[in-house]
């Protein structure tokens, strides 16, 4: 039995790229009965960049609602909010006193953020220690993350090994990272990687009219309606293929190659496919967002399940260092 743990950035509404690239694979991984899964919303990390309390709260709700709507089963997964177990902040202090300054100064993500953000706070610098505590505090064995977080998991391993060595005991479980390289990058409406920061997303949870507007905004070339079109260079076709069945893809390819089929038709077909594919998710998302107290309740129940493990590891660490 492996304990799988990962943190989710609470960056607000989750787009099609997040759903196909992160949410669905993580839910699939966690539904394997051989694994025990811990999934949490990293709302303390988000304080490094988001200072507005209402925005942070809204982001947690929308993020949790998206995961729950996409099928996260809180009976099978320990699903919680980082800040509900603030012992992680206490542990961050202890671990930071064992963490060499140059290790943190060399983190790619810190270098990147400190060059690009106007608010370069100490939280950004200590970010990897908080992340290490997120992982070590729950004795996690496997940490699925995107490539950009690989270095943080390596730093976690280094911090844990150094403390184990210094304390001459196996205080911390050394986690492995699981990098999801095989997952393809979902293109956005302009053909670049779909990302909130590029403003090219498809938000499948939007009301129909707004969702249709996003889909109709997919950038295509200016081949006239009656001419044949190349499906393999078309973004609308690429997105359609991600969701459609084999026979639907074959039919759409023929439509493109045959001519007299406009990009508007293809986009309308994609829009309808999204509505069909995510029918249940959309209903569940709206119901959850209308009753945020239900989300709140689920997160608090998750925290109750996670807390005993966190307290145990913290006590083990404190005893070893003499508190
Ligand atoms: P964004 O780029 O919109 O800010 P995040 O960086 O918050 O997205 O990503 C959250 C998760 O979703 C990560 O696991 C990331 O790998 C995945 N993800 C984001 N965009 C895509 C995409 N276009 N294709 C596949 N996966 C994606
Ligand atoms: N830093 C991660 C990200 O930006 C989120 C995160 C916080 C995390 N704590 C974690 C991921 C612990 C895995 C394990 O995506």
């Amino acid at each position: 039995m492996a304990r799988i743990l990962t943190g989710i950035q609470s960056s607000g509404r989750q787009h099609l790229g997040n759903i196909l690239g992160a949410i669905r694979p993580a839910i699939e991984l966690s539904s394997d009965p051989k694994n025990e899964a811990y999934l949490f919303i990293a709302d303390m990390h988000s304080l490094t960049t988001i200072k507005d309390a209402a925005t942070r709260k809204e982001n947690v709700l929308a993020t949790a609602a998206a995961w729950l709507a996409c099928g996260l089963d809180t009976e099978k997964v320990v699903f919680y909010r980082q800040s509900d177990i603030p012992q992680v902040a206490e542990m961050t202090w202890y671990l930071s006193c064992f963490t060499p300054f140059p290790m943190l100064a060399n983190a790619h993500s810190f270098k990147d953020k400190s060059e690009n953000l106007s608010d370069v706070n100490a939280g950004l610098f200590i970010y990897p220690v908080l992340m290490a505590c997120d992982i070590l505090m729950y004795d996690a064995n496997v940490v699925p993350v995107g490539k950009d977080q690989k270095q943080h998991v390596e730093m976690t391993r280094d911090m844990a090994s150094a403390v184990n060595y210094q304390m001459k005991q196996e205080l911390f479980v050394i986690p492995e990272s699981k990098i999801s390289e095989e997952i393809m990058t979902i293109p956005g409406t302009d053909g670049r990687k779909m990302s909130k920061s590029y403003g090219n997303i498809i938000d499948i949870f939007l009301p129909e009219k707004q969702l249709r507007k996003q889909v109709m905004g997919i950038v295509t070339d200016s081949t006239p309606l009656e001419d044949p079109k190349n499906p393999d260079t078309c973004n609308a076709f690429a997105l359609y293929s991600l969701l459609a069945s084999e026979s639907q893809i074959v039919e759409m390819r023929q439509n493109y190659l045959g001519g007299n089929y406009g990009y508007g038709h293809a986009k309308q077909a994609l829009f309808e496919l999204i509505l069909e594919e995510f029918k249940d998710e959309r209903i569940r998302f709206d119901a959850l967002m209308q009753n945020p107290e239900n989300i709140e309740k689920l997160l608090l129940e998750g925290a109750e399940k996670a807390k005993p493990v966190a307290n145990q590891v913290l006590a083990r660490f404190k005893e070893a260092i003499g508190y």
Side-chain angles (χ1 to χ4, degrees), residues 163-309:
V163 172
N164 284 355
Y165 180 77
Q166 228 169 313
M167 293 295 134
K168 298 187 180 57
Q169 53 179 302
E170 294 299 305
L171 257 185
F172 295 132
V173 171
I174 310 293
E176 304 280 340
S177 61
K178 184 176 189 305
I179 310 297
S180 41
E181 284 180 73
E182 68 279 12
I183 288 167
M184 63 185 304
T185 301
I186 311 300
T189 52
D190 60 358
R192 291 187 290 171
K193 170 191 182 290
M194 190 180 289
S195 170
K196 280 175 283 289
S197 38
Y198 296 153
N200 62 357
I201 66 159
I202 292 180
D203 178 351
I204 62 122
F205 297 119
L206 280 177
E208 278 191 31
K209 218 172 147 186
Q210 285 160 267
L211 175 58
R212 186 167 185 278
K213 200 166 161 219
Q214 274 186 348
V215 176
M216 289 302 176
I218 293 173
V219 179
T220 45
D221 63 30
S222 52
T223 314
L225 178 100
E226 45 301 345
D227 288 4
K229 300 174 182 62
N230 183 356
D232 299 318
T233 53
C234 177
N235 205 20
F237 183 82
L239 284 162
Y240 186 83
S241 306
L242 286 169
L243 301 173
S245 66
E246 282 301 319
S247 62
Q248 284 173 316
I249 299 173
V250 170
E251 196 185 328
M252 183 59 81
R253 180 173 283 282
Q254 280 164 356
N255 288 338
Y256 268 69
L257 297 173
N260 281 322
Y261 189 84
Y263 290 122
H265 298 126
K267 292 182 204 174
Q268 178 65 28
L270 171 61
F271 167 65
E272 286 166 16
L273 190 59
I274 292 174
L275 287 184
E276 186 191 304
E277 171 77 16
F278 295 106
K279 186 164 159 262
D280 297 341
E281 284 83 351
R282 287 167 55 82
I283 294 171
R284 283 196 292 261
F285 182 84
D286 288 341
L288 284 158
M289 289 306 275
Q290 272 159 25
N291 293 291
E293 61 285 357
N294 287 350
I295 303 178
E296 201 53 40
K297 181 169 161 278
L298 289 172
L299 290 173
L300 291 176
E301 283 168 4
E304 285 312 310
K305 291 187 210 158
K307 232 176 252 175
V309 187

Side-chain angles (χ1 to χ4, degrees), residues 50-163:
I50 305 173
K51 299 295 188 284
D52 180 62
T55 307
R56 263 199 332 277
K57 271 189 199 154
E58 189 58 32
N59 283 354
V60 170
L61 287 179
T63 304
W67 279 78
L68 292 164
C70 288
L72 184 135
D73 179 351
T74 55
E75 294 292 315
K76 292 192 191 139
V77 177
V78 182
F79 184 51
Y80 58 102
R81 170 173 46 202
Q82 186 185 29
S83 63
D84 283 330
I85 308 174
Q87 288 91 327
V88 74
E90 180 183 349
M91 178 152 155
T92 296
W93 175 250
Y94 305 137
L95 190 62
S96 70
C97 295
F98 288 84
T99 305
F101 178 90
M103 184 200 275
L104 296 178
N106 280 327
H108 308 312
S109 123
F110 175 70
K111 283 193 204 157
D112 185 44
K113 287 178 185 161
S114 58
E115 277 160 22
N116 292 306
L117 295 178
S118 54
D119 169 23
V120 184
N121 56 68
L124 281 177
F125 188 70
I126 212 83
Y127 187 112
V129 189
L130 179 58
M131 180 158 159
C133 290
D134 285 331
I135 298 170
L136 300 176
M137 201 164 198
Y138 298 95
D139 284 340
N141 307 106
V142 181
V143 182
V145 281
K147 267 184 260 171
D148 61 319
Q149 297 297 316
K150 184 168 189 249
Q151 192 192 26
H152 286 155
V153 181
E154 275 161 9
M155 289 164 80
T156 304
R157 290 168 58 86
D158 290 346
M159 291 177 212
S161 311
V163 172

